[in-house]
Amino acid sequence: MTISRLSALTVATLTATLVGCGGDSGSSSSDNAATIEAPTTYTFVNADDESTVSYSGQTARHILISDLKAATAAVTDSSATEDFDYYFRFNSDENGDNPHNFSIGGQTLEQTTYNSISSGKDLVSKIAGQDKEEHILNGGFFGWGDVETPTDLVDQYFADLVATADTEFTIETTEDDAASVTTAYVSEHGLDYVQLIQKFLLGAVTFSQGTADYLQTDFADAANLTVVDGKTYTAAEHKWDEAFGYFGATRNFNDFTDDEIAIKGGRPEFQGYNDADGGGTLDLTSEVIFGNSANCAKRDRGATVETDFTKEAFDAFLNGRAIVAKASADGELTEEMATLLEEQIEIAAVTWEKCIAATVVHYINDTIADMDNFDGTKFADVANFTDLAKHWGEMKGFALGLQFNPLSPFRADAATLDDLKDVLSLMGDAPVLADGTQAGVAFTGGVSQYKTDLLEARDLLRDAYDFDDSNAANW
């Protein structure tokens, strides 16, 4: 369902009850209530009217993920081996002045090189477990065989893609018992490495950093409420901005409709971007939509029972940033304001995760639909096989990312974490193909049982996030 937010957000007012200087610890009055006004766009300035918003490094990593996806999709043979590390282990000193490959048809971008966005950035140093071990929560990464870390999994995907690119194979279809598959990045077992790599990085880098790192900042620490030397912002403000940057929304996100965010209709000047300042160029750090923020709108559009993940997440980022700005100006995050901030942190992190989880549900449904198109033990055609690989890769890639948020409903206790492990186990590490095999081995119960397993995984996701039954069935 498309929700228009063109005039949906009025000024949000958060009121924190503060303790009076001479009052008891539990007393309050209207005279000592702090009113915090959140703007309608992600625009925050200091007393000198200078912007305090900064998250260019996060935008640079969105661009690296986008360029890596294009590089994997362009593979035709194993000669592309080193191209992947160019992006994953990007060397800003050597290559930062090279042009990036991101483009929007017909639009002029303000930043055309990597370093013109932000210097010194790569992907590998910010993947879960690489910068801080605790970002692999509860002691271990899980969900893909016996792979121990997210970095190891990305490297395995790279190696497998290279091997796949040089492997010729055929499949049985309705019209041809030896139909050639010429998509170099899709393996004979139905693994689409373009989708697996990109979707996994959106979880293991952007979602992990946003929720397990920056939103877990000690915003009450006095040192974080001090202006950073040579900057206009405090460390607390910058940490919050970095979380927002990884979410990927424009600063005027509430001005878009769901159709416009998803690039499925609406005004021409709002097709996943908007030149908000009228400067004639698009600023990648503020005027272009990236990552999971777009998935929120896609799921809102596809909901039969209304959801508004886009607005819920963005408003939480706005409100939280307003609280952090107030605390930075005052040099103190009071207990009451801290409580309000924790509420916004949870809304932002969990709604962000809901957008990902609902997208996993969407691709479970797509994968089942692809299997419904099998013709007995054969594929309907080659497209049936490559569609299955694509949709399964998106499903599994996104699902692997659900383990990185400490505020996840799957992190409530050991039992709920086991539910997430069950979701990933039920999916397996490859789809079940038309001949009833998974990764070259006969799957017990065949295609029918695998569909049942995917529906069980969908039910676990539905229950964890309290999704409506109709939405889970129809996303």
Side-chain angles (χ1 to χ4, degrees):
M1 180 177 295
T2 301
I3 310 292
S4 174
R5 283 176 297 283
L6 299 180
S7 59
L9 182 64
T10 57
V11 175
T13 301
L14 309 174
T15 302
T17 302
L18 306 180
V19 178
C21 293
D24 297 331
S25 60
S27 65
S28 64
S29 74
S30 58
D31 291 336
N32 51 31
T35 299
I36 306 163
E37 293 186 345
T40 58
T41 64
Y42 200 91
T43 304
F44 297 90
V45 297
N46 61 17
D48 296 323
D49 205 33
E50 299 169 312
S51 175
T52 61
V53 176
S54 176
Y55 52 85
S56 59
Q58 288 58 51
T59 303
R61 293 190 178 93
H62 277 298
I63 295 297
L64 285 170
I65 292 173
S66 175
D67 282 359
L68 174 57
K69 181 185 180 184
T72 55
V75 167
T76 57
D77 56 50
S78 60
S79 63
T81 306
E82 295 181 0
D83 289 352
F84 309 144
D85 268 351
Y86 176 86
Y87 303 104
F88 188 52
R89 295 176 169 86
F90 189 73
N91 188 321
S92 178
D93 291 337
E94 292 183 3
N95 302 312
D97 291 331
N98 291 347
H100 59 73
N101 298 316
F102 183 82
S103 64
I104 299 175
Q107 303 300 312
T108 302
L109 304 182
E110 185 172 321
Q111 300 93 348
T112 58
T113 67
Y114 295 103
N115 280 354
S116 66
I117 304 169
S118 186
S119 61
K121 303 301 181 288
D122 62 26
L123 296 174
V124 66
S125 68
K126 291 298 182 179
I127 198 167
Q130 189 72 27
D131 62 334
K132 297 179 181 178
E133 290 186 6
E134 60 266 29
H135 292 172
I136 300 180
L137 303 173
N138 286 4
F141 172 65
F142 58 87
W144 193 278
D146 58 0
V147 176
E148 294 184 354
T149 73
T151 302
D152 290 342
L153 183 55
V154 173
D155 284 334
Q156 178 178 313
Y157 283 158
F158 289 163
D160 290 347
L161 172 51
V162 171
T164 291
D166 282 342
T167 302
E168 297 181 2
F169 65 94
T170 62
I171 60 171
E172 292 189 20
T173 69
T174 302
E175 296 182 352
D176 188 348
D177 287 343
S180 295
V181 177
T182 59
T183 307
Y185 53 79
V186 175
S187 80
E188 61 183 323
H189 297 317
L191 299 178
D192 182 326
Y193 290 106
V194 171
Q195 299 302 331
L196 283 167
I197 292 166
Q198 184 220 10
K199 271 52 178 186
F200 180 60
L201 288 174
L202 287 176
V205 175
T206 67
F207 183 59
S208 170
Q209 284 290 303
T211 60
D213 191 333
Y214 294 120
L215 288 181
Q216 298 304 307
T217 297
D218 182 358
F219 292 103
D221 185 346
N224 285 331
L225 297 173
T226 302
V227 175
V228 177
D229 188 34
K231 304 295 184 180
T232 61
Y233 48 74
T234 65
E237 290 174 311
H238 188 45
K239 296 291 187 181
W240 188 274
D241 290 344
E242 289 177 299
F244 176 72
Y246 278 127
F247 179 60
T250 59
R251 298 189 194 180
N252 64 337
F253 201 55
N254 269 326
D255 290 341
F256 289 72
T257 66
D258 289 324
D259 283 350
E260 290 164 348
I261 296 168
I263 318 179
K264 295 294 184 180
R267 297 161 293 175
E269 67 273 23
F270 280 86
Q271 295 303 297
Y273 63 86
N274 177 244
D275 181 15
D277 64 7
T281 61
L282 292 180
D283 184 344
L284 292 173
T285 68
S286 61
E287 297 178 331
V288 178
I289 292 170
F290 295 103
N292 295 136
S293 64
N295 294 111
C296 295
K298 292 175 182 178
R299 303 294 78 83
D300 284 341
R301 290 183 73 251
T304 53
V305 175
E306 183 178 311
T307 61
D308 204 357
F309 298 142
T310 38
K311 182 168 173 57
E312 289 170 14
F314 185 67
D315 283 1
F317 275 114
L318 278 180
N319 292 337
R321 183 57 165 83
I323 295 169
V324 173
K326 171 66 174 171
S328 294
D330 294 346
E332 177 188 19
L333 181 70
T334 65
E335 182 177 345
E336 291 81 4
M337 289 170 66
T339 298
L340 289 174
L341 184 60
E342 286 301 315
E343 292 173 356
Q344 300 310 308
I345 289 170
E346 183 167 4
I347 293 170
V350 175
T351 306
W352 185 349
E353 183 168 333
K354 285 182 177 180
C355 298
I356 300 171
T359 301
V360 175
V361 168
H362 169 74
Y363 286 117
I364 288 175
N365 293 338
D366 276 357
T367 298
I368 292 172
D370 293 329
M371 299 171 77
D372 287 340
N373 288 331
F374 294 167
D375 185 2
T377 60
K378 299 181 178 181
F379 292 97
D381 48 31
V382 171
N384 185 197
F385 172 77
T386 54
D387 284 348
L388 174 71
K390 178 180 184 294
H391 296 146
W392 188 93
E394 293 178 284
M395 173 190 77
K396 182 74 176 194
F398 276 125
L400 285 164
L402 296 174
Q403 64 188 284
F404 298 119
N405 177 13
L407 297 176
S408 170
F410 283 120
R411 292 289 175 179
D413 51 42
T416 55
L417 184 59
D418 284 343
D419 284 343
L420 178 56
K421 291 179 179 179
D422 286 344
V423 167
L424 292 166
S425 178
L426 288 162
M427 293 175 178
D429 294 344
V432 171
L433 305 183
D435 65 1
T437 63
Q438 184 182 57
V441 178
F443 184 77
T444 303
V447 171
S448 177
Q449 181 58 50
Y450 189 60
K451 289 181 184 177
T452 299
D453 289 352
L454 290 182
L455 289 173
E456 182 179 346
R458 189 181 75 180
D459 288 347
L460 287 168
L461 293 168
R462 177 201 63 199
D463 295 345
Y465 299 99
D466 198 26
F467 291 146
D468 183 88
D469 286 348
S470 178
N471 287 341
N474 293 287
W475 263 323

